[in-house]
Amino acid sequence: DGGITQSPKYLFRKEGQNVTLSCEQNLNHDAMYWYRQDPGQGLRLIYYSQIVNDFQKGDIAEGYSVSREKKESFPLTVTSAQKNPTAFYLCAGRQGKEAFFGQGTRLTVV
Amino acid sequence: QKEVEQDPGPLSVPEGAIVSLNCTYSNSAFQYFMWYRQYSRKGPELLMYTYSSGNKEDGRFTAQVDKSSKYISLFIRDSQPSDSATYLCAMEETGGFKTIFGAGTRLFVKA
């Protein structure tokens, strides 16, 4: 089954803790993206990677970190420095101009 | 001012109605225009994709781009309850790597 796989689907975190969201793909996409979705704000770009071992900050990178050690994997770490981390997080691969999204991870800070 | 403006709705219509969804934008360099559909608690999926100005039709869906007015539309004919979802417009410059998304319009089609 090809696609973008995000895990877990739901994640709860205590304030002050770092948490890592997983994103795996078997579509052979070079480019991968992380977005954050909040009600009424659409998708905002956190980080993106066009190739292995390289990534760039998006519009709201503060409080987040990523790595791209393998083509198939692009994990996102939400650090304790992120002031308002409760949101729906979406990972995407890209072919041409089309983005292929995973099913998302809903992170809640408790 | 946001680069892409989209009314978040919600928009509620009866089954069979024609639906019009719209976005405006400010960046004249945008050349690629897309519409994504997102069902509740799922990731978005590409619905329509247009390059530059003009119309594109796919079944019950028609996408229109008016670059002179910086205005894009998605029309849904004979709307069905299964069309109930959030519709996000998206745009990108030629040679760009960053897609700019609208806020999304939530659509409800009542049986």
Side-chain angles (χ1 to χ4, degrees), chain B residues 1-5 24-33 65-72 91-94 96 98-100:
Chain B
Q1 185 188 3
K2 291 181 181 179
E3 275 190 289
V4 178
E5 298 278 1
T24 59
Y25 63 95
S26 57
N27 185 350
S28 58
F30 286 146
Q31 292 279 8
Y32 293 89
F33 303 92
V65 175
D66 182 351
K67 292 191 69 183
S68 63
S69 302
K70 296 189 179 68
Y71 188 88
I72 71 169
M91 309 177 189
E92 191 169 317
E93 299 179 19
T94 300
K98 292 169 60 174
T99 304
I100 308 300

Side-chain angles (χ1 to χ4, degrees), chain A residues 6-52:
Chain A
Q6 290 187 243
S7 61
K9 191 171 183 178
Y10 298 97
L11 189 55
F12 296 88
R13 187 197 92 175
K14 291 184 179 180
E15 277 194 41
Q17 288 182 337
N18 292 355
V19 64
T20 297
L21 283 58
S22 171
C23 178
E24 303 283 327
Q25 60 114 350
N26 61 5
L27 300 172
N28 202 35
H29 291 164
D30 287 319
M32 297 187 75
Y33 297 73
W34 273 105
Y35 294 92
R36 169 180 172 143
Q37 187 173 33
D38 296 283
Q41 295 200 50
L43 304 183
R44 292 185 290 167
L45 182 63
I46 304 173
Y47 268 97
Y48 65 104
S49 168
Q50 296 178 48
I51 199 167
V52 174

Side-chain angles (χ1 to χ4, degrees), chain A residues 9-10 33 35 37 40-43 45 48 50 59 88 90 94 97-99 101-103, chain B residues 2 32 34 36 38 41-44 46 49 88 92-93 95-99 101-103:
Chain A
K9 191 171 183 178
Y10 298 97
Y33 297 73
Y35 294 92
Q37 187 173 33
Q41 295 200 50
L43 304 183
L45 182 63
Y48 65 104
Q50 296 178 48
D59 302 314
F88 188 52
L90 286 160
R94 179 165 154 142
K97 297 298 185 185
E98 182 177 357
F101 287 90
Q103 294 301 291
Chain B
K2 291 181 181 179
Y32 293 89
M34 294 152 278
Y36 283 82
Q38 184 178 22
R41 292 185 289 276
K42 302 288 186 185
L46 184 67
Y49 166 40
L88 300 113
E92 191 169 317
E93 299 179 19
F97 291 97
K98 292 169 60 174
T99 304
F101 287 86

